[in-house]
Amino acid sequence: MSVPAILDHLVLAGPSLSELTSWFTEATGVAPVPGGTHPTGTANALVAFTVAGRRGPHYLELIGPDPDRSTTGPVTTFGIDERDAPGLATFAVRPEDIEETVARAARGGHDTGAIRPLSRTKPDGEVLSWRLTRVLEGRPDPVLPFLIDWGTTPNPGLGDLPTVELVAVRGRYPDPARARDVLDLLGVDLAVDAGERPALTAVVRGVHGDVELS
């Protein structure tokens, strides 16, 4: 197993952010840092990744419903409303040119979705903005990533965050050849095996040793 070269972040989703961060802290011995809130009714916490012992623009986003959101009803981002336990929902990759990558994928028959703006308000009030391609509602395909473009916003993975080592990332797919074709269009070097349903697995190394996220 390996780590995709243009990996931006993995998304670990759960029905409760506090329970999700507590679970991760207990499993790895590393406590995520509060990241902030999104206009979609979600909140997150972050842990940076090292890869082969080196810091880089890669991180883990733990995400759940914002407990202080003003709206009521289900939070559908990453299919959170359908989850009863932590799970790797998807991952984001950071191409050099997001528009060209979207166009190349379209020529190859893969619709990435439109490029949309999104933002996050940090606990100190600072607002971070970026662009991404994905449907904000519903459970995504975990093996086919969304694209992200931070523009002038610093990548969170390079910020003042605790770290865990990202050992490997791997996918499973009912039709692995099709998944690999799409990943090639996106420029993503993710290993994909055959499986009954789409699934993403990552291995991280914390204080207590290796932990599998899936």
Side-chain angles (χ1 to χ4, degrees):
M1 292 198 291
S2 61
V3 175
I6 62 171
L7 173 72
D8 189 85
H9 65 280
L10 301 177
V11 179
L12 185 66
S16 165
L17 181 58
S18 62
E19 292 178 5
L20 183 60
T21 55
S22 294
W23 172 84
F24 185 85
T25 302
E26 182 176 355
T28 65
V30 177
V33 171
T37 60
H38 309 99
T40 54
T42 54
N44 69 9
L46 308 176
V47 175
F49 286 136
T50 57
V51 177
R54 299 178 181 178
R55 284 289 298 270
H58 322 288
Y59 66 98
L60 175 68
E61 177 184 27
L62 299 90
I63 189 168
D66 176 6
D68 299 320
R69 66 189 184 279
S70 58
T71 58
T72 58
V75 176
T76 58
T77 302
F78 297 127
I80 286 173
D81 58 321
E82 301 175 10
R83 297 182 179 275
D84 56 12
L88 274 184
T90 186
F91 67 111
V93 295
R94 188 182 57 259
E96 289 188 10
D97 186 327
I98 193 171
E99 282 88 1
E100 191 280 330
T101 304
V102 167
R104 183 175 68 242
R107 291 193 298 270
H110 175 64
D111 181 10
T112 64
I115 302 172
R116 306 179 181 185
L118 195 60
S119 64
R120 169 165 57 91
T121 303
K122 297 172 62 178
D124 63 6
E126 181 184 2
V127 178
L128 305 181
S129 300
W130 61 92
R131 299 186 301 156
L132 78 171
T133 61
R134 67 176 172 84
V135 176
L136 295 179
E137 296 78 26
R139 197 157 184 157
D141 186 321
V143 177
L144 305 182
F146 63 95
L147 312 179
I148 193 164
D149 174 19
W150 288 99
T152 59
T153 298
N155 185 285
L158 298 173
D160 185 17
L161 298 173
T163 64
V164 295
E165 173 79 1
L166 179 57
V167 178
V169 186
R170 198 172 195 94
R172 295 192 302 277
Y173 215 76
D175 185 350
R178 175 185 174 275
R180 293 188 198 107
D181 286 344
V182 173
L183 292 167
D184 285 345
L185 288 171
L186 302 178
V188 181
D189 52 338
L190 176 71
V192 182
D193 299 320
E196 291 185 4
R197 58 184 178 81
L200 189 68
T201 300
V203 177
V204 300
R205 182 168 298 146
V207 175
H208 307 315
D210 289 358
V211 177
E212 183 175 282
L213 309 176
S214 60

